[in-house]
Each structure stands twice: as structure tokens, then as C-alpha cells.
């Protein structure tokens, strides 16, 4: 405890002076630097100022600080700020966190200062890799009381992405025991481990996940059937377990592409991929050409599936309070558990970014603040 006191005192004095410690990407070429930055202010009536206790590092953070999505998110950012000159850089990354509510806007009635929350931060806003962040109240839910801030921070972004993929895009119904059988390509990472757990908690009986051999135990412990994506007979094993009504790609591999073969046909089956070319193509070719190029890639991939009554779609992270509330409750009931692979200190943020950028996560990487 004694060790914490100087840090708390320093944080309190920074807060009193209106500044905070933050990791900032000045431009897409520089990487992140630790700086003192003004504490963000509430802009909208439903905004919530959160004192961040822990934040996860997601793959999107490692890419956004290098300019990923700048074309499309830049337009959205300009429109949201009604300012054609507004730029996304300098940018504070960090799309989710846990923490305590510091202050709320006049139309926020469900949260009060001091409440412990989990939250996601929309992609056009300054993020949570800072001592304070601002997000709408609809992006917050109560922190599960049985979890530490570090454990709780591992959940919000991957939960909302899993929900968007499985519920919004694949049209699964988590309120009515879904009957679909699901295959997850890349099931052992941050997103895959959350998707498996959400599916199992909804009552889905058969969840199969591809992963490397050394992730078998993890995937099995979550209730899914692991298949080694590098095994020479991986396709035979998947055929034995088929057909699947929903396939979720957390990886864009040859096996993921091939897995259309193990989908049911003429049963409204949906193949969802979170690895979409939308951001990279709009960055590379500009918005109009990038949108056309993404649509062409989607069409090229989807048309054969459509002819057989299947659906192929890209999916994206979307903030969703219904998801956050449900997941918070499931965590508190012990039906979902946080899978934290590695914890870093605030000052070690660049090392956390490096780890996450390799795309070989076994659960989540979380950064805890002082
Ligand atoms: N569209 C969106 O809004 C959105 C949102 C979130 C994430 N994503 C994307 O989703 C992907 C996964 O994110 P994540 O956070 O889960 O990353 P992660 O934690 O690094 O997990 C990646 C997983 O993929 C596995 N993997 C690697 N190669 C594979 C292969 N050939 N076949 C099967 N599995 C393979 C890895 O397992 P091994 O280490 O065992 O190989 C690892 O478990 C990223 O590309 C990310 O950008 C998109």
C-alpha cells in the first residue's frame, strides 16, 4: 500500500491542475509517447468522465496509431465536430477500460460520481490510454463486483465486437437459446475467447474453434472443441463436425476461406468476418475507390455463397449497451470469465502494443494504471 501513496498523491495533484498522464500518437509515423495532457471535458449532455483504472490493448489500437482507418474515421470525426479541418491526430488510443465515474453530463441519470464502470470509447473519440477518458453513458455498464479493475478492463471491446458479429450481423438471438452450431476461426485470441464464452452462456451446444495446438487446453476449458489449424487433416476434422450455421472469422486464413464448405446450405447460414478490407482499402485508395474496392471484394467472396442460400458479411466493433449490461451480469454470475494473458504497467504501454501487434494473443493484454 505504501508504494501506491506517492502515485496517488501525484495523480491527485495532476488532476487538480487539470492535467493527466496520457499516451499520445502525435502523427501516424511517430508511435506513442507519454505526455501530460489536459483532462478531457464533457462535450455532450450524456457524456461521462471516467478515471481509468485499467485499459486493454486491442489490435485496433496498434493499427490506429499508425493511421489505420484515417480516411473513413477522419470524415466521421470531421462531421461529428462540424469542422472540416478537424484531424484525428494527435490521438490518444484505447477503445475500452474499467474505472470510476468522475463526473457526468446533465442528462445522465443512471451513473453517479464514484460508480465503478466498464466502458467502450467510440473510434472517433480520444481513447482510454490516459488517466481520464470521456464516453457517452450508453457506452458504460456497471463493473462486475467480483472482478478486479484489471480483469474487468479485458472485456468491453471484444464483447461488443463479438455481439456485433454474432447478434447484429449473424442474427443470432441470445435471449432464446440459439440452435445454431458455430465455428470460430482463430478462437484462442482476445476476440475468439470472448465469442466462445458468450455463445456457451447463451446455450449454444456445439462451438468449434480453430487454434494452434498449444491453445487446446484454453479453448477446451471454455467449452469449445479445438481443431489445430496447422494439422494436415484439419479440413477432414471440420467436415466431421459440420454443418455449421454460423462461422465467425477472427483470422483471414486459407482454412477460414475454405470453411464455407462446412456451412449448411439453404438454411440462412451466415459466415461473418471481422477481418474486413474496408479501412485499409479506403486508406490506400481514398474513400470512394476504397468503398468500391471493398464492395467488389465482398461481392467476389459472397456471390457463390448467396447462390446456395448462405450469407457472407464483414462485421465491425459497435458500442452496444445491451451487450455490456448482459456481459457484466454474466461475469458477475461467473458464466463468463475474463481471460487475461498478460498485464503491463501504464509506463510499459509500448511493450503492450508490441505484444498485441503480433496477433498471437491467448486472451487479452491489459494495462493497469497507478
Ligand atoms: N472488425 C472489427 O471491428 C474488429 C474488432 C476486433 C478485432 N478485429 C480483428 O480480429 C482479429 C483478431 O483479433 P484478436 O484481438 O482476437 O487478436 P489476438 O488476440 O492476437 O488473437 C489472434 C488469434 O488468431 C490465432 N491465429 C493466428 N493465425 C491463425 C490461423 N491461421 N488460423 C487460426 N487461428 C489463427 C492466434 O492463435 P495462435 O497464436 O495459437 O496461432 C490468436 O489466438 C484481428 O485481425 C483484429 O484486427 C476486428
Amino acid at each position: 500500500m505504501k508504494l501506491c501513496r506517492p502515485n496517488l498523491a501525484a495523480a491527485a495533484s495532476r488532476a487538480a491542475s487539470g492535467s493527466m498522464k496520457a499516451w499520445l500518437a502525435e502523427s501516424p509515423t511517430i508511435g506513442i509517447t507519454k505526455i501530460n495532457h489536459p483532462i478531457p471535458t464533457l462535450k455532450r449532455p450524456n457524456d461521462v468522465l471516467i478515471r481509468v483504472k485499467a485499459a486493454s490493448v486491442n489490435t485496433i489500437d496498434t493499427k490506429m496509431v499508425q493511421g489505420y482507418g484515417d480516411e473513413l474515421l477522419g470524415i466521421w470525426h470531421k462531421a461529428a465536430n462540424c469542422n472540416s479541418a478537424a484531424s484525428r491526430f494527435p490521438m490518444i488510443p484505447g477503445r475500452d477500460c474499467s474505472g470510476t465515474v468522475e463526473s457526468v453530463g446533465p442528462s445522465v441519470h443512471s451513473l453517479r460520481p464514484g460508480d465503478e464502470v466498464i466502458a467502450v470509447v467510440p473510434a472517433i473519440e480520444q481513447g482510454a490510454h490516459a488517466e481520464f477518458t470521456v464516453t457517452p453513458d450508453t457506452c458504460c455498464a456497471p463493473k462486475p463486483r467480483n472482478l478486479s479493475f484489471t480483469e474487468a478492463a479485458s472485456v468491453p471491446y471484444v464483447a461488443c465486437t463479438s455481439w456485433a458479429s454474432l447478434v447484429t450481423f449473424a442474427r443470432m438471438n441470445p435471449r432464446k437459446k440459439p440452435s445454431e452450431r458455430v465455428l470460430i476461426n482463430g478462437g484462442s485470441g482476445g476476440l475468439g475467447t470472448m465469442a466462445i464464452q458468450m455463445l456457451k452462456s447463451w446455450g449454444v451446444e456445439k462451438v468449434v474453434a480453430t487454434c494452434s495446438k498449444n491453445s487446446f487446453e484454453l479453448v477446451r476449458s471454455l467449452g469449445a472443441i479445438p481443431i489445430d489449424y496447422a494439422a494436415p487433416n484439419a479440413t477432414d476434422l471440420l467436415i466431421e463436425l459440420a454443418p455449421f450455421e454460423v462461422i465467425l472469422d477472427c483470422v483471414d486464413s486459407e482454412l477460414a476461406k475454405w470453411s464455407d464448405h462446412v456451412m449448411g446450405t439453404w438454411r440462412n447460414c451466415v459466415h461473418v468476418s471481422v477481418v474486413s478490407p474496408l479501412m485499409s482499402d479506403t486508406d490506400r485508395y481514398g474513400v470512394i475507390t476504397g468503398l468500391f474496392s471493398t464492395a467488389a471484394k465482398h461481392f467476389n467472396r459472397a456471390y457463390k455463397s448467396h447462390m446456395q442460400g448462405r450469407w457472407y458479411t464483414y462485421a465491425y466493433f459497435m458500442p452496444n449497451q445491451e451487450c455490456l449490461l448482459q456481459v457484466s451480469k454474466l461475469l458477475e454470475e461467473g458464466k463468463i470469465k475474463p481471460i487475461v494473458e498478460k498485464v503491463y504497467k501504464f509506463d510499459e504501454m509500448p511493450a503492450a502494443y508490441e505484444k498485441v501487434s503480433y496477433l498471437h494473443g491467448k486472451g487479452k493484454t491489459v494495462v493497469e494504471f497507478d
Side-chain angles (χ1 to χ4, degrees):
M1 276 309 277
K2 268 185 189 159
L3 280 175
C4 294
R5 276 190 196 126
N7 290 333
L8 285 177
S13 110
R14 272 194 307 279
S17 70
S19 81
M20 63 175 183
K21 279 194 297 178
W23 284 95
L24 187 92
E26 197 64 55
S27 80
T29 51
I30 294 176
I32 50 169
T33 327
K34 196 174 73 165
I35 55 151
N36 276 328
H37 194 269
I39 293 176
T41 50
L42 306 179
K43 285 185 282 185
R44 294 153 299 209
N46 69 329
D47 272 347
V48 177
L49 176 67
I50 298 172
R51 183 187 284 268
V52 180
K53 300 279 189 180
S56 65
V57 178
N58 290 289
T59 50
I60 186 118
D61 299 318
T62 66
K63 297 198 249 178
M64 273 174 69
V65 295
Q66 295 173 22
Y68 176 76
D70 211 25
E71 283 288 329
L72 215 51
L73 295 174
I75 291 179
W76 184 9
H77 181 76
K78 287 179 181 34
N81 287 286
C82 301
N83 176 1
S84 61
S87 165
R88 292 175 62 243
F89 286 89
M91 170 202 294
I92 299 175
R95 302 275 60 94
D96 61 353
C97 67
S98 63
T100 53
V101 173
E102 194 72 9
S103 61
V104 298
S107 65
V108 178
H109 304 296
S110 57
L111 293 169
R112 285 183 309 185
D115 285 354
E116 297 185 345
V117 289
I118 54 172
V120 288
V121 183
I124 53 161
E125 304 292 346
Q126 294 291 20
H129 291 169
E131 286 180 302
F132 293 88
T133 193
V134 168
T135 196
D137 60 344
T138 49
C139 290
C140 302
K143 177 180 92 61
R145 279 166 295 188
N146 55 331
L147 298 190
S148 67
F149 282 106
T150 304
E151 289 169 325
S154 69
V155 172
Y157 180 80
V158 282
C160 285
T161 308
S162 299
W163 182 283
S165 309
L166 298 167
V167 180
T168 311
F169 287 90
R171 304 191 298 273
M172 294 183 78
N173 185 349
R175 289 158 219 89
K176 201 177 91 187
K177 187 178 168 182
S179 57
E180 292 94 332
R181 285 154 294 184
V182 183
L183 168 65
I184 301 178
N185 285 303
S188 53
L191 188 55
T193 51
M194 178 50 65
I196 293 172
Q197 295 196 80
M198 287 171 83
L199 289 163
K200 293 308 285 185
S201 73
W202 298 340
V204 175
E205 265 161 40
K206 192 192 265 183
V207 181
V208 176
T210 66
C211 58
S212 60
K213 255 207 146 129
N214 54 9
S215 297
F216 268 34
E217 207 175 304
L218 169 65
V219 165
R220 235 183 239 127
S221 74
L222 303 176
I225 303 167
I227 299 288
D228 178 6
Y229 60 75
N233 63 341
T235 51
D236 296 337
L237 295 170
L238 287 176
I239 288 167
E240 267 174 42
L241 294 161
F244 299 97
E245 282 84 23
V246 172
I247 299 181
L248 169 61
D249 288 353
C250 303
V251 63
D252 187 28
S253 63
E254 285 309 311
L255 187 61
K257 290 193 182 92
W258 173 88
S259 61
D260 268 356
H261 288 98
V262 286
M263 282 188 88
T265 48
W266 300 116
R267 278 189 274 167
N268 277 332
C269 296
V270 190
H271 191 155
V272 191
S273 173
V274 294
V275 192
S276 148
L278 179 65
M279 297 297 186
S280 44
D281 280 12
T282 48
D283 285 342
R284 189 173 309 144
Y285 307 122
V287 170
I288 305 291
T289 315
L291 287 174
F292 273 115
S293 139
T294 305
K297 285 177 184 167
H298 178 262
F299 178 78
N300 187 35
R301 184 69 211 276
Y303 83 102
K304 273 193 212 139
S305 291
H306 290 351
M307 299 301 282
Q308 294 180 304
R310 298 162 172 159
W311 187 253
Y312 179 84
T313 179
Y314 300 130
Y316 306 92
F317 157 76
M318 288 193 270
N320 186 311
Q321 195 175 34
E322 189 186 349
C323 161
L324 290 174
L325 291 169
Q326 190 195 83
V327 165
S328 175
K329 189 163 166 275
L330 289 168
L331 284 158
E332 211 159 272
E333 292 168 356
K335 293 183 180 154
I336 288 183
K337 55 181 183 177
I339 310 291
V340 179
E341 182 190 6
K342 193 145 173 62
V343 179
Y344 290 87
K345 294 282 172 208
F346 185 79
D347 286 349
E348 298 170 324
M349 193 72 81
Y353 272 53
E354 195 180 341
K355 164 157 191 348
V356 171
S357 68
Y358 295 140
L359 282 177
H360 281 291
K362 297 201 184 335
K364 295 283 302 174
T365 296
V366 179
V367 173
E368 37 180 45
F369 294 27
D370 294 334

